[in-house]
Amino acid sequence: MHQRHPAHHPDARRPGLASYAWRSLRDAGATVAFGSDAPVEDPDPFFGIHAAVTRQQPDGTPPGGVDPHERLDLDAALRCFTEAGAYASYEEHLKGRLRPGMLADFIVLPTDPYRVEPARLRDLTVALTVVGGVVRWQR
């Protein structure tokens, strides 16, 4: 998922071609899996979540976002990074959700992302990282 303005993509100039048509793909029943695309893009997943929810650049342009009908709500964007990512790697039986018998890989945030303005999603930070049920990093 590109974090640059979607309109800057070379295909954006081709009429009738959807650019980053995440909502349309999900509405059609496709599993849309997101990743940070590091090292090409910043590995921070909150940048991608911000882009999916707002369809804007970090500076808030363009107003309303590019192709705003393709925006995802926060639930969908988070699922694209978690459940869908596990599905895409054929590991949905191991990860992507917190359930008994699955790997306990998760992060703890100091702020509830559902209480953050969409424009501020990219500013979220991680307070704690747990991998395999073991704390691996803590702020």
Side-chain angles (χ1 to χ4, degrees):
M1 180 168 67
H2 237 11
Q3 296 163 16
R4 291 187 308 171
H5 191 295
H8 292 163
H9 191 279
D11 289 337
R13 294 186 262 323
R14 293 175 54 195
L17 183 64
S19 180
Y20 304 96
W22 303 312
R23 168 71 58 113
S24 295
L25 287 168
R26 285 179 50 89
D27 289 350
T31 299
V32 178
F34 290 163
S36 66
D37 204 20
V40 176
E41 299 284 354
D42 192 297
D44 189 331
F46 294 114
F47 291 5
I49 291 167
H50 169 268
V53 171
T54 67
R55 303 212 24 115
Q56 294 177 316
Q57 293 188 55
D59 66 3
T61 59
V66 172
D67 295 329
H69 63 281
E70 293 295 348
R71 277 186 244 153
L72 296 179
D73 62 29
L74 184 56
D75 273 343
L78 291 171
R79 288 182 194 282
C80 288
F81 269 102
T82 57
E83 292 176 15
Y87 175 82
S89 65
Y90 301 98
E91 297 178 295
E92 66 271 23
H93 62 287
L94 291 175
K95 58 185 184 179
R97 295 178 181 203
L98 290 177
R99 289 194 169 159
M102 298 181 83
L103 299 176
D105 297 348
F106 62 92
I107 60 170
V108 176
L109 307 176
T111 306
D112 181 348
Y114 291 93
R115 295 182 179 263
V116 173
E117 288 295 320
R120 305 275 39 112
L121 287 169
R122 66 180 290 111
D123 299 330
L124 291 173
T125 59
V126 174
L128 181 90
T129 302
V130 176
V131 179
V134 177
V135 174
R136 303 292 182 166
W137 183 85
Q138 190 169 349
R139 188 171 299 279

